[in-house]
Amino acid sequence: MSTMVLPAVHTSTRLGAGPSAAGHVRLTRRGRLAVFVVGLLVAVAIAVAFAGGSVATSEKGEPVPTDTIVVGTGVTLWDIASARAEGGDVRDMMSTIQQLNHLDSGMLVAGQRLRVPAAG
C-alpha cells in the first residue's frame, strides 16, 4: 500500500480567508431547518400542481340505471352477479355491485337491499 502526502495549505495566507473562500460551507441548526422547510414547501407545491389534474370536470355524467333487489336466504353475490352479467364477466359485475353499494366484501345478509345495474 502506498501513502501520498500533500502539502499543507494555510487559508490565512490567502486573500479573503474564511470558510467560503476555501469552498467549505457549514450549515447551522437554523440553516438546516431553513433548507428542510424550503424543500418541504417545494414538495407540497409539486404535489398540489399534480393533484390539480384529478379535479372533477364540469361535464355531467350519466348515472348508471339501477334496480333495487332484496337478498334472499342462501343467495350469494356471485348468484346475483351471474344473473345480471348476461354473458359478460361475472367478476366485473360483482365489482360493479360492490362499488354501487359500498361493500367491503362479497358477504351478504338475507333481507339486505342492494342496488344492481338494471337488467337490459
Side-chain angles (χ1 to χ4, degrees):
M1 202 178 336
S2 63
T3 305
M4 186 187 309
V5 178
L6 298 174
V9 177
H10 298 285
T11 57
S12 61
T13 59
R14 293 192 214 165
L15 289 175
S20 61
H24 300 282
V25 177
R26 296 187 73 189
L27 289 177
T28 62
R29 187 174 187 184
R30 188 180 344 169
R32 286 191 301 268
L33 180 63
V35 169
F36 173 75
V37 169
V38 168
L40 188 63
L41 289 174
V42 168
V44 168
I46 291 171
V48 168
F50 283 114
S54 65
V55 177
T57 64
S58 61
E59 298 176 17
K60 294 183 179 180
E62 291 294 321
V64 176
T66 60
D67 295 330
T68 302
I69 63 168
V70 178
V71 177
T73 305
V75 176
T76 64
L77 184 59
W78 181 270
D79 297 334
I80 297 168
S82 61
R84 294 291 173 140
E86 299 175 355
D89 190 8
V90 177
R91 291 171 293 187
D92 287 341
M93 183 58 69
M94 287 178 65
S95 177
T96 301
I97 293 171
Q98 285 178 322
Q99 289 173 358
L100 283 172
N101 295 283
H102 307 290
L103 299 175
D104 292 332
S105 69
M107 188 167 194
L108 301 176
V109 179
Q112 181 177 3
R113 293 183 181 275
L114 288 180
R115 289 177 31 203
V116 294

